[in-house]
Amino acid sequence: MKIRFRIRRCSPVEKSECEPYFQDYDVEVSGGMTVLEALLKISDESDPTLVFRKSCRSAICGSCAMTINGFSRLACATQIIPEYEKMGAMVIEPLKNHSPQKDLAVDFAPFWKKIERVTPYLTPAGESIKAPVTKDDEAAIDASQRCIMCGCCNSECNALEIDPRFVAPAALAKAWRFVGDVREGGAAKRLARLSEEHGMWDCVRCVHCTEFCPKHVAPLKEIELLRSRAMKEGVTDNRGARHVESMVDSVKRVGRLDEASMTFRTLGFLRSLGMIPFGIRMEMHGKMPFPIIFPKIEKMEEIKTIFREMEEGEEKEEKKP
Amino acid sequence: MAELKYAYYPGCASQSMTIEANDTTRIVAKALGIELHEMPRANCCGAGLLTDYDYPLYIALNARIFAEAEQMGMDIMTICSTCLMVMSTANRDLRNDPALLERTNEVLGKAGLHYSGNVGIKQLLWVLAEDVGLAELGKRVVKPLNWLKVAPFYGCHSLRPSDALGFDDPMKPKSLEAVIRTLGAESVEYAGKTKCCGFQVDLVTEETAEEMTAKRLIEAKDRGADCMVTPCPFCHINLDNYQGLSEKRVSRKINVPVFHLAQLVGLAMGLTPHEMGLSRHLVSPERIIR
């Protein structure tokens, strides 16, 4: 069957300019054919000027990541017919959140800068490099090692869409690779750096990175692990960590989320004062949460038991030789 | 039709800040013959923050919620997408990992509780689209909203991660559009309908949150939407409550009213704006109500 490929192209007129336009190509496709194979066919048979990156053709190198029908995928791992049948179109664009250089090839320099920001190599201290690595230790960082640096997660990241300075999921997954390594000597220092502005607490939990990672790295999981480790290491003097602490305290106290005290604790006294005019506007519509009248859930003692059991379990774990 | 009986989990937001979502869901459910059974012991799911704090604790506290529903012999229905995602993710992990289920039950056992892994978790949108069904819902529409152009706002947590949720396709969801059309309104296509409202970072990096909220609203408005509808109270807090802050951030008047899903359904079923708690919105929907 013939399928129309609508490809977003751009040719830099001057050095920094890349005015995009769409060009259509009708491609004869057969069962099992991938988007990359179609692009190669276009390039071979009808338009040698079409630019795209590719190499391994088997979802290992990560070169051919692009936006297919609005979502970031590897062209070599996306079959045309099922995709076309589901989405009713075949629109190919460069990765999002990256500037196109020519056609489907984007500038990866900012991507690598973000990776560099998290010091992507082991920094042992003292004897830490000699720590034995058990199977469980390896399993804890296994998913993060599957990353092929294709850029799909950063392309889908909603926080990066708004804030280009955000460290973004690819680098955060990489950061966990080293923070979670038992041989690492600088985990606390790394976590403090990751807790700065535009760092790991700026993730908006949109779950795009995990949904669209072609290698099942699940960067959101690594972000959660980094945050948990920061809480345990006491790297908590920042709004993200205070936000988490206030939730934990609220559940421990009343079993539920107490929005007013969360706002107060996360923002601190002065910033909360700044919220008062807005709070009055909210209260005019009955929207202001009041902590004093916050009712507890029934059987709070069960919550207390669960907290106590988990804390005791952790202490036992720590005392193990 | 499936038996319309659920353990009702409104979530924390809808028990205080967005209580109108809770109130209207109860009214609409009653009118549609959906039985909502209280969960007086249910704790907060953690909204992702307990997951950030400590994964095993998050799993145990969520399993406590499921244990209550299991005792009631019902699936859970929530009206919050974040509760849906957080609970469904915990439920997926407990079901996929027998060792985790066992360890969790050891902890629950100390509190006299047990979870076998047999509870399903749904949100109102899914119940309307599938359990009640669009045909049945359509029969209850007495006042088709045929003058309204509605932008569906799914937000993140009713779609992703799809391996835990698995109702709508995250690339091509259709339930919310289908409900809008069943109510007689027009569903407006726009870029941000499956994207994030920014709620999770409201208190962490408000610059990002406010700009993100503004972007979603403006995209919908520029495509001709009169209003938005969302199945999630957290999205509603950002899109409605904080719309004023977003307008300031991007220096542009937006003024797009945002409905909770139950409110839009209720209006089409002939319930009054007063019954639907519309006066609680910060962006008044008055001018688009007939």
Side-chain angles (χ1 to χ4, degrees):
Chain A
M1 68 194 277
K2 255 200 167 60
I3 286 180
R4 176 156 294 180
F5 278 67
R6 197 165 165 69
I7 300 179
R8 198 171 93 187
R9 305 192 62 184
C10 71
S11 301
V13 189
E14 307 220 315
K15 249 192 170 164
S16 58
E17 231 176 304
C18 195
E19 203 52 50
Y21 62 98
F22 278 95
Q23 188 164 345
D24 292 348
Y25 300 91
D26 292 326
V27 184
E28 184 65 39
V29 303
S30 50
M33 195 168 162
T34 65
V35 171
L36 180 60
E37 284 167 333
L39 294 175
L40 288 164
K41 203 170 150 110
I42 293 168
S43 167
D44 286 348
E45 296 172 8
S46 57
D47 188 349
T49 70
L50 181 67
V51 169
F52 53 96
R53 290 200 179 99
K54 82 282 174 195
S55 179
C56 78
R57 289 186 266 192
S58 44
I60 290 170
C61 75
S63 306
C64 68
M66 54 188 70
T67 308
I68 302 172
N69 287 326
F71 297 96
S72 311
R73 267 87 61 79
L74 295 178
C76 71
T78 307
Q79 285 195 16
I80 298 165
I81 292 173
E83 173 70 19
Y84 185 77
E85 281 174 351
K86 178 168 131 184
M87 303 298 276
M90 193 48 83
V91 181
I92 313 291
E93 297 170 272
L95 285 178
K96 296 173 273 186
N97 298 337
H98 294 73
S99 337
Q101 284 178 312
K102 168 130 177 60
D103 300 339
L104 301 171
V106 298
D107 181 9
F108 246 62
F111 178 94
W112 297 120
K113 273 230 160 67
K114 290 179 192 300
I115 300 285
E116 280 166 26
R117 247 168 82 187
V118 302
T119 320
Y121 45 84
L122 210 59
T123 57
E127 297 286 287
S128 77
I129 194 71
K130 291 182 185 163
V133 181
T134 67
K135 245 187 157 161
D136 285 349
D137 294 335
E138 202 277 334
I141 55 170
D142 187 42
S144 61
Q145 301 190 86
R146 290 201 291 260
C147 176
I148 56 171
M149 308 267 177
C150 64
C152 282
C153 58
N154 282 13
S155 170
E156 289 295 325
C157 175
N158 280 182
L160 187 61
E161 176 195 3
I162 302 295
D163 175 15
R165 292 170 70 192
F166 176 48
V167 59
L172 288 171
K174 185 57 70 189
W176 173 250
R177 158 67 188 83
F178 298 103
V179 169
D181 191 315
V182 288
R183 298 164 300 175
E184 170 64 20
K189 214 168 104 191
R190 284 176 187 270
L191 291 164
R193 279 202 58 197
L194 290 166
S195 299
E196 289 169 6
E197 278 182 35
H198 313 288
M200 66 176 178
W201 293 105
D202 286 18
C203 158
V204 295
R205 210 184 298 272
C206 66
V207 207
H208 276 105
C209 55
T210 292
E211 184 72 38
F212 289 96
C213 171
K215 303 304 279 185
H216 308 291
V217 172
L220 177 58
K221 180 79 193 170
E222 277 97 41
I223 294 170
E224 288 167 353
L225 289 164
L226 285 170
R227 289 172 169 180
S228 298
R229 181 62 69 85
M231 303 302 296
K232 288 200 173 74
E233 298 266 351
V235 186
T236 52
D237 188 20
N238 58 74
R239 282 212 235 164
R242 284 199 294 274
H243 197 207
V244 170
E245 279 177 340
S246 65
M247 168 61 95
V248 175
D249 285 357
S250 175
V251 172
K252 222 173 182 172
R253 199 158 37 81
V254 290
R256 290 195 281 169
L257 163 62
D258 173 351
E259 286 152 332
S261 78
M262 172 175 272
T263 304
F264 190 77
R265 281 200 53 179
T266 307
L267 296 182
F269 179 67
L270 281 175
R271 286 198 75 99
S272 299
L273 275 184
M275 296 283 281
I276 287 177
F278 180 62
I280 292 171
R281 228 189 116 207
M282 282 193 2
E283 181 45 29
M284 281 161 64
H285 295 264
K287 288 252 171 183
M288 194 62 195
F290 284 104
I292 312 111
I293 50 165
F294 216 81
K296 284 183 187 177
I297 58 165
E298 284 180 20
K299 303 248 170 137
M300 262 309 291
E301 64 276 12
E302 292 173 4
I303 300 283
K304 296 206 187 314
T305 305
I306 290 172
F307 267 93
R308 197 183 55 236
E309 282 299 312
M310 299 308 300
E311 279 158 16
E312 278 173 9
E314 230 162 71
E315 274 166 28
K316 260 186 239 160
E317 201 62 32
E318 273 162 24
K319 274 179 196 155
K320 271 189 193 167
Chain B
M1 198 161 70
E3 199 185 12
L4 301 171
K5 225 169 112 177
Y6 306 93
Y8 180 49
Y9 187 91
C12 298
S14 298
Q15 291 178 72
S16 59
M17 242 169 130
T18 55
I19 199 153
E20 71 278 5
N22 188 0
D23 295 343
T24 52
T25 298
R26 288 174 192 278
I27 296 170
V28 165
K30 200 171 168 197
L32 287 170
I34 303 170
E35 276 180 42
L36 300 179
H37 294 261
E38 302 296 325
M39 300 181 75
R41 281 144 56 193
N43 51 273
C44 172
C45 69
L49 299 177
L50 283 174
T51 326
D52 288 344
Y53 180 70
D54 183 52
Y55 175 79
L57 176 69
Y58 144 66
I59 292 291
L61 286 169
N62 276 265
R64 180 179 174 273
I65 306 170
F66 310 154
E68 184 178 0
E70 205 166 60
Q71 273 182 7
M72 295 162 74
M74 295 172 203
D75 283 345
I76 293 172
M77 186 192 96
T78 177
I79 51 169
C80 172
S81 300
T82 296
C83 295
L84 175 80
M85 182 280 279
V86 170
M87 290 196 290
S88 301
T89 305
N91 209 24
R92 173 199 66 192
D93 291 0
L94 285 164
R95 286 170 166 185
N96 289 349
D97 183 353
L100 178 68
L101 184 62
E102 197 186 317
R103 281 199 305 278
T104 305
N105 271 319
E106 273 171 35
V107 174
L108 290 187
K110 306 277 177 174
L113 298 165
H114 181 83
Y115 178 53
S116 311
N118 293 324
V119 170
I121 301 155
K122 299 177 172 190
Q123 69 171 344
L124 175 65
L125 174 61
W126 303 0
V127 168
L128 291 176
E130 194 170 72
D131 296 359
V132 173
L134 296 172
E136 184 60 29
L137 182 64
K139 282 186 212 156
R140 308 300 184 95
V141 173
V142 296
K143 192 182 164 193
L145 309 173
N146 50 22
W147 68 93
L148 265 189
K149 288 183 180 169
V150 185
F153 189 81
Y154 283 92
C156 304
H157 296 159
S158 61
L159 297 173
R160 297 177 297 273
S162 58
D163 64 349
L165 298 167
F167 183 80
D168 260 316
D169 187 316
M171 288 194 278
K172 206 179 182 178
K174 45 182 196 274
S175 61
L176 194 50
E177 294 86 338
V179 168
I180 291 170
R181 283 193 282 267
T182 302
L183 302 179
E186 184 185 327
S187 179
V188 176
E189 274 300 310
Y190 65 106
K193 75 174 180 183
T194 63
K195 288 188 178 178
C196 178
C197 68
F199 179 81
Q200 288 266 343
V201 294
D202 276 357
L203 294 175
V204 179
T205 164
E206 60 270 27
E207 298 89 342
T208 298
E210 288 163 10
E211 202 180 320
M212 197 177 283
T213 304
K215 193 167 179 189
R216 308 300 174 238
L217 287 160
I218 289 169
E219 280 165 354
K221 188 177 178 162
D222 288 351
R223 295 300 295 270
D226 304 313
C227 60
M228 253 186 186
V229 64
T230 176
C232 178
F234 284 144
C235 295
H236 193 271
I237 288 174
N238 266 35
L239 297 165
D240 175 66
N241 264 25
Y242 298 162
Q243 194 176 119
L245 299 175
S246 291
E247 286 176 333
K248 247 193 214 160
R249 175 74 55 194
V250 299
S251 313
R252 180 176 162 181
K253 192 81 191 141
I254 300 173
N255 197 20
V256 172
V258 184
F259 292 103
H260 296 287
L261 178 60
Q263 290 176 325
L264 204 65
V265 175
L267 290 173
M269 289 171 70
L271 295 160
T272 66
H274 177 72
E275 283 172 298
M276 292 297 97
L278 296 185
S279 64
R280 285 180 58 83
H281 292 200
L282 266 78
V283 180
S284 170
E286 207 172 338
R287 68 189 161 83
I288 56 164
I289 300 291
R290 283 185 197 165

